[in-house]
């Protein structure tokens, strides 16, 4: 097997590892598993609009901690909102997105997860104290 193939395999493994961490954490909702290296998720919330606002807050705070994510606008219908207890008050949801396209991401997933975990705790705590 060639170097390029191994590189793609590492990216896919990193994405699947990250996806499984997100999927098994009740603070997040995931629409689908990654096809290759792109993972998409949103914070679980009472409504789609609240999840979108939390996504933007996590995005901003993560950047301050050197975890650079992206935002994506997806149809809310891609998510199992009913199981998450999320009211569909918008047709689209602002999600967080990570492209794990470097082979070394496989080694960084633990660190990325620790940063995301800390960011999410802080954002949710601030959000819950404001309400």
């Amino acid at each position: 097997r060639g170097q390029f193939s191994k590189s793609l395999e590492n990216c896919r493994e990193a994405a699947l590892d990250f996806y499984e961490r997100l999927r098994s954490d009740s603070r997040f909702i995931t629409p689908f598993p990654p096809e290759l290296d792109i993972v998409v998720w949103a914070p679980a919330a009472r409504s789609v609009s609240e999840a979108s606002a939390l996504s933007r807050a996590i995005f901003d705070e993560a950047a301050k901690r050197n975890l650079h994510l992206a935002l994506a606008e997806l149809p809310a219908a891609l998510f199992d909102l009913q199981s998450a207890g999320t009211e569909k008050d918008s047709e689209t949801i602002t999600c967080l997105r990570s492209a794990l396209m470097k082979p070394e991401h496989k080694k960084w997933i633990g660190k990325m997860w620790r940063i995301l975990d800390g960011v999410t705790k802080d954002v949710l705590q601030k959000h819950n104290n404001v309400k």
Side-chain angles (χ1 to χ4, degrees):
R1 181 171 63 197
Q3 183 63 31
F4 182 70
S5 175
K6 182 65 176 161
S7 175
L8 288 178
E9 183 178 312
N10 284 340
C11 295
R12 173 107 170 103
E13 288 174 9
L16 288 172
D17 182 352
F18 200 56
Y19 169 77
E20 285 302 323
R21 291 173 191 236
L22 291 161
R23 192 176 71 80
S24 64
D25 190 314
S26 63
R27 298 174 297 172
F28 305 109
I29 54 175
T30 54
F32 44 76
E35 290 184 18
L36 183 58
D37 61 355
I38 296 175
V39 182
V40 179
W41 73 98
R46 290 181 292 264
S47 67
V48 169
S49 59
E50 183 179 348
S52 293
L54 289 170
S55 287
R56 289 187 287 275
I58 290 170
F59 172 82
D60 290 340
E61 187 60 32
K64 292 176 189 173
R65 300 184 197 187
N66 208 27
L67 177 60
H68 301 287
L69 305 171
L71 294 172
E73 197 76 18
L74 294 179
L78 292 176
F79 291 83
D80 183 1
L81 299 175
Q82 186 174 0
S83 292
T86 304
E87 175 193 348
K88 185 180 174 189
D89 63 346
S90 174
E91 292 300 315
T92 61
I93 184 170
T94 303
C95 304
L96 294 151
R97 183 178 70 83
S98 183
L100 300 161
M101 54 197 276
K102 295 179 182 177
E104 55 270 20
H105 279 142
K106 185 176 176 182
K107 296 176 191 169
W108 297 346
I109 289 298
K111 181 177 181 179
M112 291 173 64
W113 182 255
R114 284 188 299 277
I115 294 168
L116 179 63
D117 177 56
V119 165
T120 302
K121 284 178 183 172
D122 291 349
V123 166
L124 292 177
Q125 182 178 28
K126 182 179 179 182
H127 176 75
N128 289 332
N129 287 338
V130 169
K131 291 213 161 204

